[in-house]
Amino acid sequence: MRLKNYVSMITGVSSGSGIGRAIARLFAMEGSSLVLSSYRQDEAAMRALAGELEDYGSRVLLFDGDLSSEETVRKLVAAAEMQFGKVDVLVNSIGISQQLPLSQLTLADWERMLSVDLTAVFLTCREVLPLMLRQNFGRIINVASQIGQKGAVECCHYAAAKAGVIGFTKSLAREVGGSGITANCIAPGPIITEMLANTPPEWVKNKKAELVIPRIGEAFEVAPTAVFLASAPDGNLYTGQTLGPNCGDVML
């Protein structure tokens, strides 16, 4: 169990088919206690998820709130500290997506995208960091996207937010590297989640044809990258890096 005795905070676990929830399951299987953050998610569904994870032996704290709010993030971190006394790993899997041509993109669309996909990452990292500095150890893992590396049609605001996550994480890694804390990104390629549910079949067909590994990935295939970066000695020497489980969509 590579994460035994860890306390891991994972944001963005609302979606039943999402990457955040897949990471939470694998972290529980690897022995970590969990602080799980969702937003406006059905309470019964979240309790069911907690029960599932507790069956692996994990202790689970559930939190519901909008993490683009400074006050809400402070409450989240305070609840985690009160319950567990520490946070060893922060996984920011929170995110939304939207496709619109730039000519139709409103300021409200732009601000909402950056608020959820970038500002929430900044806030959670900033508020968790003192706990990690106190113990001279921490693993920060921010989920970006390959679109933040290569761009995509009708995704200017989404690409900007995810590229911002990557740049933010590199800078944070340089800032805290001497304090036993690492900061890395995961930039998945197309993954079967609720975000992809309304994508036209023709787009999926064409996208598969573009990929070196010609298929769309699944969330459970991304989760092991987070375990790798969180665990020791596996992730010890990785910081400021962007790992890409993306079927060859981006090669660096």
Side-chain angles (χ1 to χ4, degrees):
M1 299 175 72
R2 287 178 286 175
L3 304 181
K4 187 177 180 181
N5 299 323
Y6 277 25
V7 174
S8 302
M9 179 182 291
I10 303 174
T11 70
V13 298
S14 298
S15 170
S17 61
I19 291 171
R21 194 168 291 197
I23 291 172
R25 286 193 176 96
L26 191 54
F27 271 42
M29 293 172 68
E30 291 287 352
S32 181
S33 295
L34 298 169
V35 180
L36 303 181
S37 174
S38 61
Y39 183 46
R40 294 179 177 173
Q41 178 66 5
D42 179 75
E43 185 178 346
M46 291 304 296
R47 285 201 305 267
L49 173 64
E52 174 192 340
L53 302 178
E54 287 166 350
D55 285 343
Y56 294 116
S58 179
R59 294 180 296 160
V60 180
L61 171 65
L62 299 176
F63 184 90
D64 183 87
D66 176 7
L67 299 188
S68 64
S69 160
E70 193 170 32
E71 180 182 358
T72 301
V73 173
R74 285 175 175 159
K75 288 179 179 177
L76 166 64
V77 175
E81 185 175 17
M82 181 175 291
Q83 178 84 6
F84 296 114
K86 64 172 185 172
V87 174
D88 300 297
V89 181
L90 170 63
V91 180
N92 273 308
S93 186
I94 188 172
I96 57 173
S97 67
Q98 181 189 42
Q99 284 189 265
L100 277 176
L102 184 60
S103 61
Q104 297 177 24
L105 196 63
T106 67
L107 181 58
D109 291 326
W110 174 269
E111 290 180 339
R112 179 171 180 263
M113 182 64 68
L114 266 66
S115 178
V116 175
D117 284 31
L118 181 56
T119 300
V121 171
F122 148 64
L123 289 172
T124 51
C125 288
R126 189 189 68 182
E127 295 303 315
V128 164
L129 191 57
L131 277 65
M132 294 182 172
L133 289 171
R134 188 172 68 197
Q135 62 190 21
N136 284 325
F137 177 82
R139 301 283 205 244
I140 295 171
I141 303 164
N142 295 322
V143 179
S145 167
Q146 95 283 11
I147 290 176
Q149 298 170 305
K150 62 179 281 188
V153 174
E154 300 185 347
C155 287
C156 287
H157 54 338
Y158 181 72
K162 293 303 187 181
V165 169
I166 293 170
F168 170 84
T169 304
K170 289 180 179 180
S171 296
L172 179 59
R174 293 185 181 277
E175 187 170 321
V176 300
S179 302
I181 301 166
T182 64
N184 293 286
C185 283
I186 301 174
I191 302 295
I192 299 170
T193 65
E194 289 178 14
M195 285 187 180
L196 209 63
N198 297 321
T199 303
E202 189 66 20
W203 182 93
V204 174
K205 178 182 177 182
N206 292 338
K207 190 62 189 178
K208 287 179 180 179
E210 291 177 12
L211 298 172
V212 178
I213 302 172
R215 67 180 181 87
I216 306 298
E218 297 189 51
F220 77 87
E221 296 175 298
V222 177
T225 306
V227 172
F228 171 79
L229 290 171
S231 59
D234 307 40
N236 286 0
L237 302 184
Y238 289 82
T239 200
Q241 304 302 310
T242 301
L243 303 190
N246 60 37
C247 293
D249 200 20
V250 171
M251 296 185 181
L252 297 176

